[in-house]
Each structure stands twice: as structure tokens, then as C-alpha cells.
């Protein structure tokens, strides 16, 4: 989900273009697909006038119950549009940790969390000088510092989006605005204001009307300033209609001076709508729960609201739009508890999402915005793991026969209480509560410190009786110490954020740190939430990617190419003729592009050399690729080991560290070669490709040997 659960607790239509439900919104008659002067997003003679990027929160292609059609199967307007007009990659993957914040940021930058700064999300902890830790939100505007409102000034001075050099990571909209394109953002992580505290202060200051409104009426301020934005090209007609603020990116490579942005629906709506009102795809004005016009809240960015904003922006001359769409399996704004696959309300929400896409595609088609001139990119941040018992009736399909669940909800496990009662461990610590919990031991001990080692060994033994199955489970499945976290791209340029270790738990469990006893049950169902993510688990880490538009092959549904979120941006930029001032962690998915739409170097036989090396590179460097999967298993065995002088751990970790260093060096070399081949005009030769491919394969084999 868009917001961390723990933060919330503590702080049938052919091409999908022809069928429209009753009440569909029509385009604003004052805005009929105007051209955006100077926007350069066409390459090699292709006619690309628009970019529409949509990223769902936890919407599944695969079925969670074999009898119940999947999320996408219940959205045929979208599914048919992707399959009939382009390519739907079903072997697409997340990074680790697999959470909304990290996954969206990885997707829109083409960089793993160690380079964009948010590898532990949707919140994270950071160390204070006294060895204690505080919690901060991963969701904060791009230029913010640590987003922790529990203290007047966080002790950690690094940016939220911290790069490996300690400076702010490059912003994903800059390449577009520098190319003369306005960039509309609809709730896309950290590209808009995320809150009415630190973000308002950072962008508007503390002496203006925005700050005063945020203090007097936070709900109104959220509707006015949070969640919606436009980053403007120079001389933007859109910005001229609103109330622009300076778009400041002090660390942007090559500089970023003289740009402006519209922050919030209060300013965006008047610039993109003739009557100042933005409507959902169903035609209703978009408001928050109190009736304030504007941003309705992140969990309320359902398909009809998000797509309504995207359509309005596109019709008004914003040629590039990135949007977030909230998940369909939670009952947003309701207290009725979690829903399982095929539940009546879940099916109804998916139907409303399908209607929204039917209306959306029909509206765009009337505007002349379609597959012939628009690059559509649609994906999901991650899959979720459903936690619940068997449905009744057993043969329910959710569509004709609704499913009900007597037992539903993630299994909440109190790590502090379980450690104290089962292992006698009372070492002070905090945890980033999650299904993949990150442990921060007080005092910041090193990974080979005896305190750390005894704590890790104890945690690896903690068990729980699953209240759904009645079986005794070991809570932790995999363990990553700091050496392994580095391999998994989980160490950022801010060492104060590095956890002591990370546990990838049984995906049925959500781990938190409560009281150091079990006077209150340490293990219990949490019926409000039934969908876990973050973990190292195939049903979470495998998701999907859809591509439609000029230059995209019509392959339909395919699992022929292993890809991950870092590959999205370079693939888009290859089609759009854009470049970034940095080397991507991903590769261009040339297999999904027409030969004449591939960068010149990547056509013909040389393109096959590129694909071979790129495939080996992904397995070497991706967070859930073969290398990282093997080292995580080896790390777990090392951490769980008990030997004289802790020799097994010391020797095993030394091997992993050395192998990880070799991987980083080789992966960095390959990434540069691939990026220069695709974007820099520096063509690698076949012997070089063969040599690097062989080296990558050899390192993967070494990792697999260590894993046993």
C-alpha cells in the first residue's frame, strides 16, 4: 500500500477503446489535445507526442486463488489494451526490499535503492549520535531532508533521496523538462509534496499562506498542496496559468536553474481545467473526504481519480504524465477489515477500476491520444502475499459466487516479546516493522560484534504458532547482515540508515517490536491487513510490465524476458530519444522493441550480443537475480551458524564480501558498457560482450556454490 501500515498505526472490451460505462466523463471542451511546443520526445522518425506512465500499488497479473480471476483478468479494458496493442511482460521483478516506495522510485529512476536513497521503505530508521534510532518516512518531496516530524530537527542531515556521494540523487523529471516537456505528476512517489509538514516548509517556506493554512487546517492544506504537481519546462504555458514556485534541484548534474513547478491541486487545477475543477473518469469532481476540492488522499487515488487527473493534464497540453494508482484489495476509508481474493467488495472495486479504464481509453481516443502517438507504460510496484484461510464456499470464483473468509489477516509477531520469552534476549533494539523487518540494535554495533551475533542467532530460532494453520513456523526465512545488504543494494550513501541486519520473514508474518513480554499475545491475527510485501518470496517479487506505443512490438503476453524495475526507464528513454546524466542500473529491453525502434547500435547481430550480455548482467546485479538470491541463502547460513570463535561466520562472510566486491566492480563495468552502447554511441565489440558475459556467469556460479 501507498503508506506503510506501521506508519499509519503510529503516526470486455476488444482494444479497451470502444466500451464505455454510463456516466463517463467527457473531455473538457476547452482543452482538446493542444500540442506542447518544443517538447522533444520523438526519435528516429517516430511520432511520439505523449507519455503516459501508470504504476499500480499491488495489482496482480497472477491469480491468488486458482478459481478467482486475477486483478488484471478482472480489468479487461486494461489487460486487452496491453495484450492486443503491445507487450505484457509477465517475468518482471522488484528490487529488495519489495515495497511501494523503493519499487516506484527504482522504476522511475532506473536505479536501485543504494543510488536513489530509499532501499528500506516505506519508512526507515536512522541512528542518532547516542546510538538510538528514530523513524522517518520514505515518502517526502525529492529535495527534503530526513522526514521525521517527531523531533524539531533530525540528527541525520542527509537528503531523503541520498545518492552514493551523499548528495541528492538526480530527479526523474529533469530529463523531460530539459527536453522542453512539462511533466505532470499524479501521486507518484516523492515527485510531489507528500505531507503538510516538512514538504510544505521545504517548498513554500514558513512565512507564507501555505504554511499558515497547513497549521490552521491540515486537511484543507493536503487537498490544496499534496499529491498533485507539474514540473514545467522553461517558458511553459501551463506554469503561466498557475501560481508557480521555483523548481529547485541544487545537486542536479549539469545544473537546473530557472525552472518552475506547480505544487498542489490548488494551482494545478486552475491551470489544466477551464472551470478549475478536475473530475474523475466517472465525471464527478475530485474531492477529499471532507468535500475539499483537489487531492483526495493517497489511498483515495483509485483508478477513476488518478486517470481523471492524467486525462485532464494530457488534454491541457502536459505531454508527460506519471501517475500512481492505489491498490484494489484494501477497503480504503472503511473499517470493515481485510478482503480476500473473490470477496464481494474486492470484486466490486476491480469492476470500478475496469470501468475507469474503459472511460479513460475512450476519452483519450476522442482526444486523439492513442497507441499511434503515445507511449503507454503500465506496471505494478510489487505483488502482495495473501494471508488467510480457505474460502467458503470452496468452489467460489468471486465473480459469480463470492468468497468469504473465516480466518483472514497477516500474522502479527512481536519480536521483542518473542525474543525475551523464547531466547532470553533483552538487548535494546528498534525495528522497522515489516514482513521484511530491519533490525537496528542500540549503540550501532558492527556486524561481527558479539552482541549482534548472539542477537541474530537468537532471532533465527524464534518460532510462532500460526493461528490460521495451527503449525509452528520459524518466523525468519532469510537473514542479511551488512555485507549481504550491500550486495542487495540496501546500503545507501547515508551510513546512519544502515540496519544492523534484515530478516526476510515467512511472508505470512508482519514483525513489529512491542513489549518485552507476552502478557498480551505476541502472535495474533491482524484482521485489518491481509496482504504482505517486502519479503524475498516469488509471489511478491514477480510482477508485470505493459508497454504500448510507437516502436513497441506486439508480442502480447510473454514471459520470454527476465526484467526488473530498473529496466523501465532506459527502455522508455531508448524509445523517446532521451538520455540521463548517469548510468542506469537497468538495460534497454530491446526484445520488446521493433528492430528499427532500437538505438542504432542495438540492431541486427550486435543487438543479439547486447541482449546476451544484458541477460547475464541482470542475473548478476538484480536484487532478486541469481547472484543476489544465492548470496542471500549463503548469508543466512553464515548468520545462523554457531562455531568455535565464530569461525564459520567470519570465513563465510569474508568470502561473501570478497565476492560482492568482485560483483560490484564487474556489474559497474557492464552497466557502463550497456548504457554507452544504448545511449552514448560507443559500440562494444562481440569479443568484449562474450568476455563480460562469461565473467558474469562465472560469478553467478561462484555465488551458487557458496549457497550450497
Amino acid at each position: 500500500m501507498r503508506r506503510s501500515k506501521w506508519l499509519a498505526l503510529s503516526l470486455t472490451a476488444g482494444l479497451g477503446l470502444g466500451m464505455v460505462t454510463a456516466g463517463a466523463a467527457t473531455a473538457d471542451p476547452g482543452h482538446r489535445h493542444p500540442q506542447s511546443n518544443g517538447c522533444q520526445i520523438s526519435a528516429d522518425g517516430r511520432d511520439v507526442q505523449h507519455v503516459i506512465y501508470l504504476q499500480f500499488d499491488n495489482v496482480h497479473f497472477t491469480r491468488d486463488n486458482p478459481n478467482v480471476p486475477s486483478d488484471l483478468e478482472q480489468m479487461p479494458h486494461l489487460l486487452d489494451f496491453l495484450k492486443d496493442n503491445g507487450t505484457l511482460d509477465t517475468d518482471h521483478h522488484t528490487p529488495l526490499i519489495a515495497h511501494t516506495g523503493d519499487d516506484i522510485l527504482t522504476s522511475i529512476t532506473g536505479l536501485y535503492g543504494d543510488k536513489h536513497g530509499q532501499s528500506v521503505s516505506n519508512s526507515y530508521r536512522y541512528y542518532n549520535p547516542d546510538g538510538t534510532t528514530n523513524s522517518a518516512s520514505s515518502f517526502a518531496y525529492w529535495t527534503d531532508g530526513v522526514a521525521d516530524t517527531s523531533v524539531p530537527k533530525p540528527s541525520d542531515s542527509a537528503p531523503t533521496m541520498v545518492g552514493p556521494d551523499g548528495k541528492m540523487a538526480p530527479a526523474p523529471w529533469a530529463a523531460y523538462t530539459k527536453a522542453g516537456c512539462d511533466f505532470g505528476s499524479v501521486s507518484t512517489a516523492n515527485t510531489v509534496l507528500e505531507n503538510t509538514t516538512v514538504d510544505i516548509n521545504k517548498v513554500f517556506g514558513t512565512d507564507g499562506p501555505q504554511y499558515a493554512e497547513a497549521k490552521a487546517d491540515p486537511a484543507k492544506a493536503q487537498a490544496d498542496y499534496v499529491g498533485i504537481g507539474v514540473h514545467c519546462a522553461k517558458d511553459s504555458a501551463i506554469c503561466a496559468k498557475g501560481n508557480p514556485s521555483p523548481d529547485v534541484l541544487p545537486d542536479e548534474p549539469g545544473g537546473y536553474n530557472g525552472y518552475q513547478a506547480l505544487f498542489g491541486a490548488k494551482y494545478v487545477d486552475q491551470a489544466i481545467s477551464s472551470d478549475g475543477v478536475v473530475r474523475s473518469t466517472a465525471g464527478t469532481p475530485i474531492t477529499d473526504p471532507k468535500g475539499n476540492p483537489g487531492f483526495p488522499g493517497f489511498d483515495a487515488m483509485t483508478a477513476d481519480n488518478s486517470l481523471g487527473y492524467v486525462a485532464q493534464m494530457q488534454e491541457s497540453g502536459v505531454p508527460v504524465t506519471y501517475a500512481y494508482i492505489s491498490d484494489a484489495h484494501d477497503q480504503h476509508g472503511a473499517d470493515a477489515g481485510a478482503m480476500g481474493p473473490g470477496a464481494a467488495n474486492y470484486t466490486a472495486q476491480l469492476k470500478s477500476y475496469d470501468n475507469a479504464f474503459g472511460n479513460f481509453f475512450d476519452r483519450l481516443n476522442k482526444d486523439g491520444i492513442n497507441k499511434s502517438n503515445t507511449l503507454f507504460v503500465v506496471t505494478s510496484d510489487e505483488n502482495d502475499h495473501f494471508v488467510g484461510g480457505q474460502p467458503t464456499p470452496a468452489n467460489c470464483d468471486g465473480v459469480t459466487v463470492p468468497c468469504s473468509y473465516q480466518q483472514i489477516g497477516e500474522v502479527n509477531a512481536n519480536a521483542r516479546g518473542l525474543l525475551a520469552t523464547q531466547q532470553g534476549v533483552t538487548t535494546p533494539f528498534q525495528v522497522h516493522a515489516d514482513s521484511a523487518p530491519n533490525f537496528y540494535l542500540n549503540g550501532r554495533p558492527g556486524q561481527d560484534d558479539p552482541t549482534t551475533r548472539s542477537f541474530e542467532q537468537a532471532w533465527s530460532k524464534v518460532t510462532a504458532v500460526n493461528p490460521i494453520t495451527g503449525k509452528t513456523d520459524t518466523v525468519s526465512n532469510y537473514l542479511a547482515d551488512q555485507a549481504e545488504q550491500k550486495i542487495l543494494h540496501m546500503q545507501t550513501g547515508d551510513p546512519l540508515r544502515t540496519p544492523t541486519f534484515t530478516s526476510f520473514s515467512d511472508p505470512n508474518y508482519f514483525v513489529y517490536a512491542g513489549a518485552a513480554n507476552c502478557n498480551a499475545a505476541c502472535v495474533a491475527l491482524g484482521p485489518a491487513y491481509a496482504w504482505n510485501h517486502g519479503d524475498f518470496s516469488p509471489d511478491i517479487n514477480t510482477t508485470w510490465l505493459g508497454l504500448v506505443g510507437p516502436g513497441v512490438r506486439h508480442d502480447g503476453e510473454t514471459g520470454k524476458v527476465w526484467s526488473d524495475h530498473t529496466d523501465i526507464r532506459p527502455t522508455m528513454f531508448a524509445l523517446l530519444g532521451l538520455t540521463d546524466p548517469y548510468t542506469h542500473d537497468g538495460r534497454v529491453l530491446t526484445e520488446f522493441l521493433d528492430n528499427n525502434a532500437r538505438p542504432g547500435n542495438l540492431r541486427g547481430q550486435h543487438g543479439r550480443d547486447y541482449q546476451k550480455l544484458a541477460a547475464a548482467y541482470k542475473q548478476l546485479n538484480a536484487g532478486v537475480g541469481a547472484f543476489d538470491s544465492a548470496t542471500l541463502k549463503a548469508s543466512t547460513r553464515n548468520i545462523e551458524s554457531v562455531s568455535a570463535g565464530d569461525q564459520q561466520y567470519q570465513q563465510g562472510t569474508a568470502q561473501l564480501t570478497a565476492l560482492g566486491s568482485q560483483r560490484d566492480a564487474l556489474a559497474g563495468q557492464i552497466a557502463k558498457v550497456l548504457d554507452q552502447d544504448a545511449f552514448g554511441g560507443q559500440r562494444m565489440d562481440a569479443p568484449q560482450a562474450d568476455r563480460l558475459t562469461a565473467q558474469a556467469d562465472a560469478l553467478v556460479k561462484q555465488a551458487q556454490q557458496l549457497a550450497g
Side-chain angles (χ1 to χ4, degrees):
M1 63 182 56
R2 181 68 170 85
R3 287 289 177 258
S4 163
K5 166 206 167 180
W6 200 251
L7 278 181
L9 292 176
S10 66
L11 296 164
T12 339
L15 302 182
L17 296 174
M19 294 183 64
V20 189
T21 60
T26 58
D28 183 335
H31 295 128
R32 299 297 297 176
H33 178 35
Q35 297 299 313
S36 180
N37 294 330
C39 178
Q40 301 298 316
I41 50 175
S42 291
D44 296 330
R46 288 185 296 280
D47 178 26
V48 181
Q49 301 174 28
H50 312 269
V51 176
I52 296 178
Y53 179 98
L54 307 173
Q55 189 146 19
F56 284 99
D57 195 334
N58 306 313
V59 164
H60 302 181
F61 167 77
T62 53
R63 295 187 174 191
D64 297 290
N65 176 322
N67 295 329
V68 178
S70 72
D71 296 343
L72 279 185
E73 287 177 310
Q74 293 187 59
M75 289 189 279
H77 284 100
L78 174 59
L79 181 59
D80 292 349
F81 176 75
L82 297 175
K83 292 170 62 174
D84 294 348
N85 297 286
T87 294
L88 177 62
D89 178 17
T90 61
D91 199 16
H92 191 68
H93 300 83
T94 72
L96 290 177
I97 187 170
H99 262 309
T100 299
D102 181 21
D103 294 349
I104 292 178
L105 293 168
T106 296
S107 300
I108 65 177
T109 63
L111 301 172
Y112 292 118
D114 54 355
K115 294 179 182 174
H116 65 60
Q118 290 299 324
S119 57
V120 174
S121 64
N122 295 329
S123 61
Y124 62 94
R125 303 193 72 88
Y126 64 93
Y127 276 100
N128 296 307
D130 64 359
T132 62
T133 58
N134 279 27
S135 181
S137 176
S138 295
F139 296 113
Y141 182 61
W142 205 272
T143 60
D144 271 345
V146 171
D148 173 13
T149 58
S150 71
V151 293
K153 184 179 181 180
S155 62
D156 186 348
S157 61
T160 282
M161 306 302 299
V162 62
D165 58 0
K167 296 182 179 181
M168 194 183 304
W173 63 84
Y176 290 106
T177 54
K178 288 182 177 181
C181 310
D182 290 335
F183 177 100
S185 181
V186 181
S187 303
T188 303
N190 298 19
T191 64
V192 291
L193 303 196
E194 295 274 356
N195 55 70
T196 59
T197 52
V198 294
D199 284 5
I200 292 281
N201 301 352
K202 181 70 176 183
V203 172
F204 294 119
T206 57
D207 57 356
Q210 300 90 350
Y211 177 82
E213 181 180 327
K215 289 294 185 182
D217 191 346
K220 180 67 163 57
Q222 173 160 298
D224 282 345
Y225 307 121
V226 172
I228 304 297
V230 176
H231 296 275
C232 298
K234 289 187 175 179
D235 301 319
S236 165
I238 294 295
C239 256
K241 295 178 182 179
N243 183 25
S245 298
D247 197 356
V248 180
L249 294 173
D251 297 334
E252 194 65 23
Y256 197 74
N257 299 317
Y259 288 87
Q260 294 182 308
L262 302 177
F263 294 104
K266 181 174 183 177
Y267 305 129
V268 172
D269 290 7
Q270 68 185 20
I272 66 173
S273 174
S274 59
D275 61 0
V277 177
V278 175
R279 294 169 174 82
S280 74
T281 57
T284 57
I286 299 174
T287 67
D288 73 1
K290 292 187 175 183
N292 295 312
F295 181 60
F298 290 101
D299 283 347
M301 292 308 287
T302 51
D304 54 349
N305 284 338
S306 283
L307 297 177
Y309 258 106
V310 170
Q312 192 68 52
M313 287 183 176
Q314 288 285 341
E315 291 161 355
S316 303
V318 180
V320 179
T321 50
Y322 276 48
Y324 162 87
I325 302 176
S326 187
D327 68 83
H329 59 230
D330 284 314
Q331 301 197 72
H332 302 297
D335 297 320
M339 300 186 294
N345 287 355
Y346 189 176
T347 299
Q349 287 195 156
L350 288 171
K351 178 60 177 175
S352 74
Y353 275 41
D354 184 48
N355 290 342
F357 272 97
N359 294 338
F360 178 67
F361 286 129
D362 184 75
R363 177 173 170 179
L364 292 185
N365 203 39
K366 290 177 180 177
D367 292 328
I369 303 172
N370 52 52
K371 64 181 182 179
S372 71
N373 58 24
T374 305
L375 175 59
F376 294 87
V377 180
V378 191
T379 189
S380 179
D381 49 10
E382 67 270 340
N383 275 3
D384 277 6
H385 172 85
F386 172 64
V387 188
Q390 293 300 310
T392 55
N395 64 343
C396 65
D397 62 7
V399 178
T400 59
V401 180
C403 300
S404 298
Y405 296 84
Q406 297 301 312
Q407 291 180 301
I408 190 170
E410 63 197 12
V411 183
N412 289 333
N414 175 6
R416 192 173 283 126
L418 291 170
L419 282 165
T421 58
Q422 291 186 13
Q423 301 294 320
V425 172
T426 57
T427 301
F429 74 95
Q430 296 292 340
V431 66
H432 166 247
D434 199 65
S435 185
N438 313 96
F439 288 81
Y440 298 77
L441 273 59
N442 286 18
R444 203 178 167 195
Q447 67 176 14
D448 55 358
D449 187 288
T451 300
T452 301
R453 291 292 298 122
S454 61
F455 190 101
E456 292 171 331
Q457 291 163 340
W459 175 247
S460 73
K461 300 173 185 176
V462 166
T463 61
V465 177
N466 188 316
I468 296 176
T469 66
K471 296 180 179 179
T472 298
D473 301 322
T474 300
V475 176
S476 180
N477 278 351
Y478 302 96
L479 293 163
D481 61 6
Q482 294 180 358
E484 179 60 19
Q485 288 174 130
K486 187 175 188 302
I487 291 173
L488 296 177
H489 307 290
M490 291 178 62
Q491 286 190 8
T492 71
D494 179 8
L496 297 177
R497 300 180 192 175
T498 302
T500 308
F501 71 96
T502 295
S503 170
F504 294 94
S505 300
D506 179 318
N508 291 314
Y509 288 80
F510 183 91
V511 178
Y512 68 100
N517 59 67
C518 290
N519 297 337
C522 280
V523 180
L525 280 185
Y529 301 92
W531 300 88
N532 266 341
H533 45 96
D535 261 315
F536 179 73
S537 181
D539 62 341
I540 293 172
N541 305 134
T542 304
T543 181
W544 54 275
L545 167 67
L547 302 168
V548 171
V552 177
R553 289 173 56 89
H554 293 188
D555 285 343
E557 177 189 327
T558 177
K560 69 180 182 180
V561 179
W562 197 105
S563 64
D564 80 348
H565 283 344
T566 62
D567 303 326
I568 297 175
R569 187 171 178 93
T571 301
M572 292 177 66
F573 275 28
L575 287 166
L576 299 173
L578 299 178
T579 59
D580 274 317
Y582 56 84
T583 299
H584 302 105
D585 284 330
R587 45 75 58 114
V588 179
L589 296 170
T590 56
E591 295 90 337
F592 300 149
L593 308 185
D594 293 332
N595 187 61
N596 61 5
R598 301 170 183 172
N601 277 352
L602 307 186
R603 302 171 186 174
Q605 177 58 47
H606 182 69
R608 289 185 282 276
D609 292 335
Y610 176 93
Q611 291 172 2
K612 182 178 179 181
L613 176 58
Y617 166 71
K618 297 310 299 186
Q619 296 309 309
L620 177 68
N621 200 45
V624 294
F627 184 94
D628 285 18
S629 297
T631 58
L632 180 56
K633 294 173 184 176
S635 171
T636 303
R637 187 180 64 244
N638 294 337
I639 292 170
E640 292 177 345
S641 68
V642 178
S643 60
D646 210 16
Q647 288 186 356
Q648 182 175 339
Y649 173 77
Q650 298 288 350
Q651 293 175 359
T653 302
Q655 289 178 303
L656 274 184
T657 300
L659 191 60
S661 295
Q662 293 179 59
R663 192 286 302 270
D664 289 346
L666 180 59
Q669 182 182 358
I670 295 175
K672 184 174 292 187
V673 167
L674 293 175
D675 231 44
Q676 290 178 342
D677 208 354
F679 302 106
Q682 299 183 31
R683 181 168 180 159
M684 65 179 173
D685 57 33
Q688 180 186 27
D690 290 342
R691 181 175 66 255
L692 292 173
T693 299
Q695 291 174 358
D697 291 342
L699 283 184
V700 170
K701 289 181 180 178
Q702 289 184 50
Q704 292 171 333
Q705 289 169 354
L706 284 180

